Amino acid sequence: MKVVIDAAVCDGKGYCKRFAPEVFGLDEWGYGKVLVDEVPPEHMAGAEAAVEACPLQAIRTV
Ligand code: SF4
């Protein structure tokens, strides 16, 4: 599974990073950033929780 953040939608509150810090970080402007090419199996649950937690539905899985 891959995750993609829509930069035009993200407002940078960082919930994604809180739910899955191995998968999501924040860029230099404080917006969400995907850290991995493929989500490792052990971080799948956290990544899915981040998708659910994003208040703007800015994260999608591909
Ligand atoms: S939770 Fe959503 S809106 Fe917040 S930083 Fe992450 S992708 Fe952006």
Side-chain angles (χ1 to χ4, degrees):
M1 180 177 88
K2 292 177 188 273
V3 286
V4 178
I5 294 176
D6 184 341
V9 176
C10 172
D11 74 349
K13 296 246 173 16
Y15 293 109
C16 51
K17 183 180 175 185
R18 278 188 239 167
F19 278 86
E22 304 85 359
V23 177
F24 300 98
L26 298 178
D27 69 14
E28 58 192 294
W29 298 282
Y31 291 98
K33 173 180 165 182
V34 178
L35 303 176
V36 295
D37 189 34
E38 287 277 340
V39 178
E42 64 271 29
H43 299 312
M44 202 79 84
E48 286 169 349
V51 171
E52 290 291 318
C54 177
L56 298 174
Q57 286 94 45
I59 310 168
R60 64 187 170 85
T61 58
V62 291

